[in-house]
């Protein structure tokens, strides 16, 4: 017996050496270019993972994250085997979870694809009556009707593909076997064309226009770490402004020294896109982190294997570069950096040139600095309240077990501040520790409310999250940074797509589906 583990180029989204587990471990995005047309296939992990429900939940969260990156879905293909007489819990979990995060109208874009159907003469087999019963139950229990007809049922078999892979590896076959495989290929090809023709003519399911729980969840997950960076930035601005204010208040300050200090400090936070994504370890005791570079030595080709949970490489195992647990790693598509600026009022600038500075101007500038400090603290309180509400929303609506990435990242930032010289006199550090203390107090109150079933009266909706997001974008200086972060993350999603061109032999097939002038 010969085992064929790799066909063509190694696929960074698949695992092939763990029998019984889903072949696809993360969402693989395959983009096929057919003339001016683009066919994007999102290959998702199977639901009903042999490793347990936690893996199903994690897989589903990954699926929803990928879906949320697109404006619409043309088709949703649910793959089933033809002789599965126990199509119960797994099927219901799949359908109900999917439709709970999309509008119910997504049901009109669902089709059922039966695999390995050569043994059932390219028919759904024993699974079909079970499927009908499950869909009927779905209609009765949740008022979701998916009408069974030929247009949403497709039967395939991939044994002809396995034959080609085996033949390429030098395995021999009889003429009868070759004819059977050729027949199987022809039937599967016809079904594929029929599937594409049907999906092409469907009304696309709009995703971004649907205010969904999933979109709100992804927004919250995306903004948690940038908001921690903003918390530090605000604290840095407060400390710098208070320091300048104290210097100006000194009685022994000469006129010349005063003139040098008549400005308003501003530390601007901005993002710098990276030429290539970078995997970094966030473990505060990591040897790689404490060396000259915090970048783990991950080859570009293996980036998705590391970060997107293939074989658990970056979620459940240890990093092969630094040895730290996978959970401590993160993929960065951009870096945050700060720029120190001095804002000088034009009127003061003119008076400085004429040497007209007096005690009144000095007091006015002190008041201006205090006003900025008050504004920064007000921003800090606003962001603190929004972060707490984000956390409450995640705790109440998490698919998988809740993981407080915000406080973990805040701990990382606090660690960086502690590593600086004179940590005992570091007011930025003290401010961040106070932010964490207040946050933990609020989160504990939320946890107690949820445990005592007291949170229903103050539950947050998807609309609430979108409103809070807009509120963040309106904050001076901060809003632009957060919008830039979101744009960078959306752009980074393109790195995960694998692009392909159809061979010329497919031109006639594609012409029967699309109007293509040049392939």
């Amino acid at each position: 017996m010969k085992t064929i583990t790799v066909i063509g180029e190694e696929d960074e989204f698949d695992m092939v050496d763990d029998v019984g587990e889903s072949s696809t471990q993360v969402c693989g995005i395959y983009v096929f270019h057919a003339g001016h047309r683009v066919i994007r296939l999102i290959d998702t992990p199977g639901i009903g993972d042999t490793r347990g429900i936690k893996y199903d939940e994690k897989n589903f969260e990954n699926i929803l994250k990928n879906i949320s990156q697109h404006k619409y879905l043309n088709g949703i293909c649910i793959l089933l085997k033809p002789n599965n007489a126990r199509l119960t819990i797994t099927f219901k979990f799949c359908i109900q979870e999917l439709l709970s995060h999309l509008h119910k109208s997504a049901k009109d874009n669902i089709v059922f694809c039966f695999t390995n159907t050569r043994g059932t003469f390219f028919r759904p087999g024993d699974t079909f009556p079970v499927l009908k019963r499950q869909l009927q139950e779905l209609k009765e229990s949740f008022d979701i009707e998916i009408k069974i007809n030929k247009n949403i049922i497709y039967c395939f078999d991939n044994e002809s593909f396995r034959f080609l892979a085996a033949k390429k590896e030098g395995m021999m076959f009889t003429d009868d076997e070759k004819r059977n495989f050729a027949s199987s290929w022809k039937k599967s090809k016809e079904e594929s064309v029929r599937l594409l023709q049907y999906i092409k003519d469907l009304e696309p399911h709009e995703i971004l226009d649907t205010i969904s729980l999933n979109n709100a969840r992804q927004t919250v997950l995306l903004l948690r770490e940038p908001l921690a960076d903003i918390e530090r930035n605000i604290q840095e601005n407060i400390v710098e402004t208070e320091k300048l204010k104290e210097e100006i208040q000194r009685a022994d300050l000469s006129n010349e020294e005063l003139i040098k200090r008549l400005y308003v400090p501003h530390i601007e936070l901005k993002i710098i896109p990276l030429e290539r994504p970078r995997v970094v370890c966030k473990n505060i005791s990591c040897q790689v982190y404490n060396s000259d570079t915090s970048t783990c030595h991950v080859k570009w080709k293996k980036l998705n294997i590391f970060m997107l949970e293939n074989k658990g490489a970056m979620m459940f195992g240890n990093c092969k570069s630094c040895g730290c647990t996978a959970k401590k790693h993160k993929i960065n598509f951009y870096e945050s950096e700060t720029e120190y600026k001095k804002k000088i009022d034009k009127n003061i600038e003119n008076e400085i040139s004429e040497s007209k500075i007096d005690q009144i101007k000095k007091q006015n500038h002190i008041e201006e600095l205090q006003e900025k400090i008050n504004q920064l603290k007000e921003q800090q309180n606003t962001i603190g309240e929004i972060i707490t509400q984000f956390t409450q929303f995640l705790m109440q609506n998490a698919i998988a077990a809740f993981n407080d990435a915000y406080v973990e990242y805040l701990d990382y930032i606090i660690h960086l501040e502690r590593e600086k010289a004179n940590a005992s006199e570091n007011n930025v550090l003290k401010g961040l520790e106070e932010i964490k203390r207040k946050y933990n107090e609020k989160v504990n109150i939320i946890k107690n409310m949820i445990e005592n079933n007291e949170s229903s009266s103050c539950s947050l909706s998807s609309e609430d999250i979108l409103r809070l997001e807009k509120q963040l974008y309106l904050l001076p200086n901060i809003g632009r940074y957060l919008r830039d972060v979101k744009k960078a993350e959306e752009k980074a999603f393109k790195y995960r797509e694998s692009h392909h061109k159809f061979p010329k032999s497919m031109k006639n097939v594609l012409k029967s589906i699309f109007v293509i002038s040049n392939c």
Side-chain angles (χ1 to χ4, degrees), residues 32-285:
F32 295 91
H33 298 270
H36 298 296
R37 291 274 189 168
V38 172
I39 302 172
R40 181 175 281 103
L41 301 179
I42 304 175
D43 184 19
T44 67
I47 304 299
D49 198 297
T50 56
R51 294 169 293 180
I53 189 66
K54 288 185 178 180
Y55 284 81
D56 271 341
E57 292 170 343
K58 198 70 184 175
N59 287 341
F60 222 104
E61 186 161 351
N62 185 262
I63 291 170
L64 293 170
K65 182 177 181 179
N66 276 269
I67 288 175
S68 68
Q69 299 294 323
H70 303 285
K71 292 182 179 179
Y72 58 84
L73 292 174
N74 292 83
I76 302 168
C77 303
I78 297 177
L79 274 58
L80 302 169
K81 291 184 178 179
N83 284 315
N84 188 351
R86 299 184 64 185
L87 187 68
T88 53
I89 297 175
T90 299
F91 176 80
K92 282 194 283 189
F93 176 82
C94 177
I95 294 287
Q96 291 171 23
E97 280 296 304
L98 180 65
L99 296 182
S100 69
H101 298 288
L102 297 172
H103 193 273
K104 282 186 178 182
S105 63
K107 69 181 178 60
D108 298 326
N109 297 77
I110 291 176
V111 298
F112 298 97
C113 299
F114 292 85
T115 60
N116 305 108
T117 58
R118 185 171 180 271
T120 56
F121 308 104
F122 288 93
R123 289 179 171 83
D126 295 339
T127 305
F128 191 63
V130 182
L131 173 62
K132 291 177 71 175
R133 286 199 300 271
Q134 290 296 324
L135 293 179
Q136 182 61 32
E137 183 179 324
L138 199 65
K139 178 183 177 182
E140 294 171 356
S141 302
F142 301 98
D143 194 28
I144 298 172
E145 184 177 14
I146 301 175
K147 295 179 180 179
I148 287 284
N149 58 67
K150 184 180 178 182
N151 287 332
I152 68 168
I153 300 294
Y154 298 88
C155 297
F156 307 90
D157 198 292
N158 67 342
E159 67 170 2
S160 52
F161 178 77
R162 293 198 300 269
F163 157 71
L164 292 175
K167 192 172 184 295
K168 185 177 180 181
E169 293 295 313
M171 293 184 65
M172 304 300 293
F173 296 89
T174 66
D175 290 341
D176 285 342
E177 287 173 328
K178 291 177 182 178
R179 280 191 291 271
N180 286 335
F181 291 136
S183 175
S184 179
W185 177 276
K186 181 181 177 183
K187 181 63 178 174
S188 296
K189 172 187 167 183
E190 291 171 351
E191 285 291 89
S192 299
V193 171
R194 188 169 68 89
L195 172 64
L196 286 174
Q197 286 175 329
Y198 175 70
I199 289 178
K200 177 182 72 73
D201 295 332
L202 286 176
E203 184 73 24
H205 172 69
E206 299 287 340
I207 295 176
L208 297 182
D209 290 342
T210 302
I211 298 177
S212 67
L213 182 65
N214 172 51
N215 288 339
R217 182 190 291 113
Q218 296 306 325
T219 295
V220 172
L221 293 172
L222 170 65
L223 294 179
R224 285 183 301 177
E225 288 191 10
L227 285 172
D229 282 325
I230 286 171
E231 292 273 32
R232 174 171 59 177
N233 177 250
I234 291 177
Q235 190 60 34
E236 287 173 339
N237 274 287
I238 290 174
V239 169
E240 194 66 25
T241 308
E242 287 180 336
K243 178 183 174 183
L244 180 62
K245 177 188 165 189
E246 289 171 3
E247 290 176 357
I248 294 175
Q249 286 176 322
R250 280 170 38 205
D252 61 343
L253 196 67
S254 68
N255 197 54
E256 184 178 349
E257 289 175 323
L258 174 61
I259 289 173
K260 290 179 181 178
R261 289 167 174 79
L262 290 179
Y263 64 87
V264 177
H266 176 64
I267 303 173
E268 183 180 351
L269 184 63
K270 56 185 180 180
I271 68 168
I272 306 298
L274 296 174
E275 185 177 344
R276 280 193 170 186
R278 182 181 302 157
V279 176
V280 293
C281 181
K282 294 296 184 183
N283 186 0
I284 57 178
S285 60

Side-chain angles (χ1 to χ4, degrees), residues 222-223 226-227 230 469 472-473 475 477-487:
L222 170 65
L223 294 179
L227 285 172
I230 286 171
E469 181 186 9
L472 285 171
Y473 292 154
L475 292 175
N477 302 314
I478 293 168
R480 184 176 66 180
Y481 173 76
L482 288 176
R483 286 193 294 271
D484 288 344
V485 166
K486 195 162 187 179
K487 288 177 184 177

Side-chain angles (χ1 to χ4, degrees), residues 288-510:
V288 171
Y289 165 75
N290 289 319
S291 65
D292 293 336
T293 174
S294 61
T295 303
C296 286
H297 306 291
V298 183
K299 291 182 180 179
W300 171 248
K301 186 176 180 181
K302 301 293 183 182
L303 184 62
N304 283 331
I305 297 179
F306 257 68
M307 293 311 303
L308 298 179
E309 304 171 29
N310 191 0
K311 300 184 182 179
M314 294 304 287
M315 188 53 64
F316 304 105
N318 293 328
C319 173
K320 295 177 182 177
S321 178
C322 69
C324 298
T325 58
K327 294 179 182 178
K328 297 294 183 181
H329 288 73
K330 183 193 173 192
I331 183 170
N332 285 344
F333 292 93
Y334 61 87
E335 287 182 332
S336 294
E337 70 172 34
T338 56
E339 181 180 352
Y340 188 91
K341 296 181 178 180
K342 295 180 179 180
K343 294 185 176 180
I344 302 175
D345 185 276
K346 283 291 182 184
N347 294 328
I348 291 180
E349 195 172 35
N350 293 332
E351 290 178 357
I352 289 174
S353 63
E354 297 173 10
S355 301
K356 293 182 179 180
I357 300 302
D358 54 26
Q359 289 299 315
I360 295 176
K361 293 293 185 296
K362 175 180 176 178
Q363 185 59 38
N364 288 344
H365 195 64
I366 290 171
E367 291 174 1
E368 184 181 354
L369 293 175
Q370 183 59 52
E371 184 180 351
K372 183 187 177 180
I373 292 169
N374 294 340
Q375 290 172 351
L376 288 168
K377 288 183 176 180
E378 185 179 342
Q379 277 191 350
Q380 202 171 52
N381 291 333
T382 299
I383 291 172
E385 288 298 323
I386 290 175
I387 291 171
T388 303
Q389 291 181 76
F390 279 178
T391 299
Q392 178 183 342
F393 177 82
L394 284 180
M395 292 173 73
Q396 292 172 332
N397 298 286
I399 300 176
F402 172 71
N403 174 43
D404 199 336
Y406 166 75
V407 81
E408 286 183 6
Y409 191 65
L410 195 58
D411 281 337
Y412 173 69
I413 292 175
I414 288 171
H415 165 74
L416 295 181
E417 291 297 327
R418 284 189 184 135
E419 290 291 296
K420 295 179 180 179
N422 301 320
S424 61
E425 300 176 8
N426 189 332
N427 290 326
V428 174
L429 173 61
K430 293 175 183 177
L432 291 172
E433 288 175 334
E434 179 64 13
I435 288 169
K436 180 184 173 184
R437 185 190 66 78
K438 290 180 179 179
Y439 172 79
N440 283 335
E441 284 181 356
K442 293 176 183 177
V443 169
N444 286 332
I445 293 173
I446 294 170
K447 285 180 179 177
N448 290 332
M449 290 173 63
I450 292 174
E451 289 172 1
N452 296 324
N453 295 319
E454 298 173 359
S455 60
S456 57
S457 60
C458 56
S459 293
L460 293 163
S461 66
S462 302
E463 290 86 348
D464 291 327
I465 296 301
L466 296 178
R467 175 180 53 79
L468 292 171
E469 181 186 9
K470 289 179 181 178
Q471 186 178 344
L472 285 171
Y473 292 154
L474 292 174
L475 292 175
N477 302 314
I478 293 168
R480 184 176 66 180
Y481 173 76
L482 288 176
R483 286 193 294 271
D484 288 344
V485 166
K486 195 162 187 179
K487 288 177 184 177
E489 289 288 349
E490 289 171 354
K491 184 178 179 182
F493 186 79
K494 299 297 180 183
Y495 280 103
R496 301 188 177 105
E497 295 187 337
S498 174
H499 289 256
H500 307 271
K501 284 187 177 181
F502 282 111
K504 291 183 178 180
S505 58
M506 286 288 291
K507 187 170 183 179
N508 290 333
V509 175
L510 293 169

